[in-house]
Amino acid sequence: MVVSSQPILQNSSNLYRTCKSTSDLHFSDNNNSVIPVIDMLDPKAKFLITKACQEFGLFKIVNHGVPNDTMIKLESDAVKFFDLPQCDKDKAGPASPYGYGNKRIGSNGDVGWVEYLLLAVNDGLVSEKFVNIPDSPQLFWYALNEYVAAVRNIACVVLEKIADGLKIEPKNVLSRMLKDEKSDSCFRLNHYPPCIEIEAYSKGGRNFIGFGEHTDPQVISVVRSNNTTGLQISLKDGTWVSVPPDEHSFFIIVGDSLQVLTNGRFKSVKHRVLANSVKSRLSMIYFGGPPLNEKILPLSSLMEEGEESFYKEFTWHEYKKSTYMTKLSADRLGLFEKNIIVPYAEDLPNLGKIIL
């Protein structure tokens, strides 16, 4: 994946997309918010998580156990990197796929008002061999690995609560993929600079795209950002709603692979990021992926008698390769669906056992 090394503030015309405005909707981090908030210390957390995965594909977790210092230190280091002169940042790129990139996302024509640093995670540690970050002190890599270890642990805890909530065995049937020494996971730092052109385009009902609509192909994603808005998810009826930012919490996103592993009981959520006219947004995302040779197919312990798989059998390597060949907004999982109708989660067998 070749990424342009041009400065991020050039050629912005391709970043505009016409879409239904959601400016008349109000979603705040309170009881009126549509985004589920789950306390990890709640005895019912396993059921609440499972329900959130069915209905939204995204939820916020609090009381997660990660110290604020761990989050703040990495954010500070990331800000220092993105504040470097463009010529210095370019030394860490072009992303292929790992490294620094800006504006161009992948090699299929997708662009966004974003610059990023994509890093491989091998056996739980961020790999330094795929990218050369100029003048990066060892403390930077220490902060990275401390943070990645913490969020990988969160991902595994969430996956084990999902298994518990679904009443499937063994408990680590999902988390083992991330804990495997050959787990194909990655970590991404996204920086969305403020854009003064946004207001002129918003008058025409258009949104300025920071990162285009897509689903995550992996099993699960753990997202943390600063307190700048921008992240949105698409509900089942196609309405885009804002996700209130919270720098002290994490957002969990269901990936395509988890949708297949649950045979459609969970749905990977389509999401995007809109640029901001005043403040920059910095997000840090851990993508928990299985080993490349892992077969992605519905879990036998979850399937009911006579229940048919809605998906063709494939490996993570096959699916990952396919995603690199398609645009962000494409229905990438559709290529692996059988010629049968995939129902909504509530239409699948015995889901009553996991509803409160």
Side-chain angles (χ1 to χ4, degrees), residues 25-293:
L25 300 175
H26 177 67
F27 299 101
S28 59
D29 194 14
N30 54 35
N31 292 333
N32 295 320
S33 174
V34 300
I35 305 302
V37 179
I38 299 173
D39 185 339
M40 294 296 283
L41 300 180
D42 188 331
K44 294 181 180 179
K46 61 184 178 182
F47 300 113
L48 296 170
I49 288 172
T50 305
K51 187 176 178 68
C53 288
Q54 293 172 38
E55 297 184 0
F56 293 95
L58 176 145
F59 54 93
K60 182 171 87 170
I61 59 171
V62 297
N63 285 325
H64 44 71
V66 179
N68 275 336
D69 288 349
T70 300
M71 297 185 279
I72 294 171
K73 179 65 173 70
L74 181 56
E75 179 183 330
S76 175
D77 287 346
V79 168
K80 290 177 183 177
F81 171 78
F82 289 118
D83 279 346
L84 289 173
Q86 189 65 47
C87 59
D88 288 340
K89 289 184 288 189
D90 286 341
K91 294 175 183 178
S96 182
Y98 302 111
Y100 170 80
N102 69 39
K103 284 183 23 185
R104 289 187 60 189
I105 305 168
S107 57
N108 299 295
D110 290 297
V111 293
W113 193 259
V114 62
E115 58 179 340
Y116 63 89
L117 192 61
L118 183 61
L119 303 165
V121 177
N122 295 327
D123 196 18
L125 296 175
V126 177
S127 176
E128 300 181 35
K129 66 180 181 180
F130 295 111
V131 57
N132 176 33
I133 300 178
D135 301 322
S136 58
Q138 203 60 36
L139 285 176
F140 170 73
W141 294 102
Y142 177 82
L144 264 174
N145 282 310
E146 182 180 35
Y147 182 88
V148 168
V151 292
R152 183 178 77 147
N153 181 65
I154 285 176
C156 291
V157 170
V158 168
L159 290 173
E160 288 175 4
K161 286 186 180 295
I162 287 173
D164 206 9
L166 289 170
K167 301 187 185 322
I168 53 178
E169 296 289 345
K171 184 179 178 180
N172 70 341
V173 65
L174 296 169
S175 63
R176 66 167 183 81
M177 300 180 192
L178 276 57
K179 292 179 178 179
D180 193 299
E181 63 180 11
K182 295 182 179 179
S183 168
D184 183 45
S185 299
C186 60
F187 184 70
R188 187 178 188 115
L189 294 166
N190 285 339
H191 176 236
Y192 304 90
C195 178
I196 59 175
E197 302 174 47
I198 295 176
E199 293 183 6
Y201 280 80
S202 63
K203 293 179 181 178
R206 291 178 290 180
N207 288 313
F208 199 89
I209 303 299
F211 205 109
E213 61 183 77
H214 65 286
T215 58
D216 294 342
Q218 292 87 354
V219 177
I220 193 170
S221 306
V222 183
V223 182
R224 184 264 180 190
S225 73
N226 61 2
N227 271 340
T228 302
T229 59
L231 178 61
Q232 295 186 330
I233 64 170
S234 177
L235 302 180
K236 290 178 181 178
D237 64 1
T239 302
W240 286 98
V241 300
S242 297
V243 178
D246 183 350
E247 63 183 356
H248 302 296
S249 304
F250 293 99
F251 293 89
I252 306 297
I253 298 178
V254 171
D256 293 343
S257 295
L258 188 53
Q259 176 173 323
V260 175
L261 290 162
T262 60
N263 203 31
R265 288 167 171 79
F266 297 170
K267 295 288 185 181
S268 55
V269 63
K270 186 173 289 187
H271 52 287
R272 68 184 183 185
V273 175
L274 302 184
N276 190 292
S277 63
V278 179
K279 297 174 60 180
S280 64
R281 174 181 169 88
L282 182 79
S283 58
M284 311 187 293
I285 313 104
Y286 168 78
F287 299 95
L292 289 172
N293 63 354

Side-chain angles (χ1 to χ4, degrees), residues 176-177 180-184 289-297 313-320:
R176 66 167 183 81
M177 300 180 192
D180 193 299
E181 63 180 11
K182 295 182 179 179
S183 168
D184 183 45
L292 289 172
N293 63 354
E294 182 78 28
K295 290 183 179 180
I296 308 299
L297 71 166
E313 185 177 305
F314 56 91
T315 65
W316 166 239
H317 178 263
E318 291 170 329
Y319 188 59
K320 181 181 179 181

Side-chain angles (χ1 to χ4, degrees), residues 300-312:
S300 59
S301 56
L302 184 60
M303 299 287 278
E304 299 292 333
E305 184 177 353
E307 182 180 345
E308 183 178 357
S309 170
F310 298 120
Y311 307 92
K312 304 170 187 176

